Amino acid sequence: MPEIRPTALSKRPRRKLQTPNPEVRARLMDAAIDVLKEHGFPALRIEEIVERAGLSVGTFYLYFDSKADLFVAMVTEYTQRLIDRISKAYEGDDHVAVRMSRGLEAYLDFVEEYEKGFLYFVSAADNIETSVGRLSTWVFQQHAAILQPLVEKAQADGDMKKMDPELVAQALLGLAQHMAAFWLQHRERLPREKLRDFMNMFTAFGLSPASY
Amino acid sequence: MPEIRPTALSKRPRRKLQTPNPEVRARLMDAAIDVLKEHGFPALRIEEIVERAGLSVGTFYLYFDSKADLFVAMVTEYTQRLIDRISKAYEGDDHVAVRMSRGLEAYLDFVEEYEKGFLYFVSAADNIETSVGRLSTWVFQQHAAILQPLVEKAQADGDMKKMDPELVAQALLGLAQHMAAFWLQHRERLPREKLRDFMNMFTAFGLSPASY
């Protein structure tokens, strides 16, 4: 995957490392995720990240231009991890509805695990332009790239209604993101199982009383 | 409706008018909408608004604290207009699917008319805290307040599957906003009729080949 950077660069360009150490970068990202899980992104301080990682602020700036650059790197990295988990959930010979339901569970596991980061991503990613376009659009594209082939295969097998596969994927992804954010903000009265059952029923059979 | 203001206030509080003139306020908002339609919100300049309204910058600041304050006022005002249009579309004795389809048409008319403003709203409203909570949440609540009773009535009449009406409303609204934004960004290859037919089919019957 190409390195993705925000297009609004900091005024002072980062000194480039001849041989960046992937382990150092990973240590900084791991520390950032720990801090993010606790406090969310707006309150995240670079000092706290480097302290937790046992590194210096100078080292941080050898690897990232800015807090925005770190955020884009985190979204890129964790989107890849999420896509790997969902791909795994889609595997197997079960009916497409079962596989999609497993994908939704993997998605809900992920947003629950990274709740603060996910909610910040939902609120901010529409406004972040990067070297590969708008950050939210890029994330949707990554998801669609694994969901749309599943939809096309299911339609070819007669397991799904023939509708435009791109629109089907967009609808499922937009719905999942919106409802996951709604769930996280109303968890005291909305159990995860209730949301999951609703999503599975709604996406398979819609609202018509005749259809189930 | 109470006046809604962003909570991040400008440093210098606005001088309050003893008797604000609703016509002057409306002239400023109308001029702002004209400018917004052409250039979008980030490029919107207060100088251009007051020039178009034939008023002074000083007058602008008697009515609005800041550009953010103006944006919240515009979202409040235009959400009310949109809700009025959709309420009208929901009226009548037709089947709920027909009434909801008319509501979707009214929504697509609106987002097409205010395309630049709508896309900016979608990208920014999650990050704007106001005196009535997050701006995007408030807008969803206004929509849900007219959609949820329609859902409850349809379920009571046996015209819709019995599912949690709050989740049904959230799903329909989240889906409509995501798909409308996707449509506006891909209009060259996605005709409005295709999007509308997909939405009506998906929300009524879902993806299962058995359900239609």
Side-chain angles (χ1 to χ4, degrees), chain A residues 161 164 166 178 189 194, chain B residues 164 166 170 189 194 206:
Chain A
K161 263 205 268 323
D164 185 295
E166 186 186 24
H178 180 76
R189 60 180 170 83
K194 188 177 169 183
Chain B
D164 185 293
E166 188 186 22
Q170 276 298 322
R189 60 181 169 84
K194 187 176 170 184

Side-chain angles (χ1 to χ4, degrees), chain B residues 78-119:
Chain B
Y78 281 82
T79 296
Q80 194 52 60
R81 294 193 194 186
L82 171 57
I83 297 290
D84 289 347
R85 289 199 204 174
I86 294 178
S87 294
K88 194 150 268 154
Y90 284 165
E91 283 173 9
D93 291 327
D94 309 282
H95 191 279
V96 63
V98 175
R99 292 159 70 190
M100 279 179 24
S101 176
R102 278 202 305 260
L104 178 64
E105 294 282 9
Y107 184 71
L108 295 178
D109 284 345
F110 182 89
V111 304
E112 200 166 22
E113 189 173 344
Y114 301 104
E115 173 170 356
K116 286 206 171 71
F118 171 74
L119 288 174

Side-chain angles (χ1 to χ4, degrees), chain A residues 122-123 126-127 140 158-161 163-164 166 170 178 182 189 194 201 203-209 211, chain B residues 122-123 126-127 140 158-161 163-164 166 170 178 182 189 194 201 203-209 211:
Chain A
V122 170
S123 72
D126 261 357
N127 260 332
F140 273 114
D159 289 337
M160 203 186 269
K161 263 205 268 323
M163 301 161 95
D164 185 295
E166 186 186 24
Q170 276 298 322
H178 180 76
F182 183 79
R189 60 180 170 83
K194 188 177 169 183
M201 179 63 98
T203 55
F205 301 107
L207 301 173
S208 169
S211 68
Chain B
V122 169
S123 72
D126 261 357
N127 260 331
F140 274 114
D159 290 337
M160 202 185 268
K161 261 204 270 320
M163 302 161 95
D164 185 293
E166 188 186 22
Q170 276 298 322
H178 180 77
F182 183 79
R189 60 181 169 84
K194 187 176 170 184
M201 179 64 99
T203 55
F205 301 108
L207 302 173
S208 170
S211 69

Side-chain angles (χ1 to χ4, degrees), chain B residues 138-184:
Chain B
W138 179 84
V139 170
F140 274 114
Q141 283 164 349
Q142 302 306 109
H143 281 265
I146 57 166
L147 179 52
Q148 201 170 317
L150 187 72
V151 168
E152 284 164 359
K153 174 79 166 52
Q155 291 188 353
D157 292 348
D159 290 337
M160 202 185 268
K161 261 204 270 320
K162 291 235 184 312
M163 302 161 95
D164 185 293
E166 188 186 22
L167 291 180
V168 171
Q170 276 298 322
L172 293 172
L173 296 172
L175 196 61
Q177 182 173 301
H178 180 77
M179 297 307 279
F182 183 79
W183 167 55
L184 291 179

Side-chain angles (χ1 to χ4, degrees), chain A residues 73-110:
Chain A
M74 286 165 82
V75 170
T76 312
E77 165 77 20
Y78 281 81
T79 295
Q80 195 51 61
R81 293 194 193 186
L82 172 57
I83 296 290
D84 289 347
R85 289 200 203 173
I86 294 178
S87 294
K88 194 150 270 156
Y90 284 165
E91 283 172 8
D93 292 327
D94 309 282
H95 190 278
V96 64
V98 175
R99 293 159 70 190
M100 278 179 23
S101 175
R102 278 203 304 261
L104 177 65
E105 293 283 7
Y107 184 69
L108 295 178
D109 283 345
F110 182 89

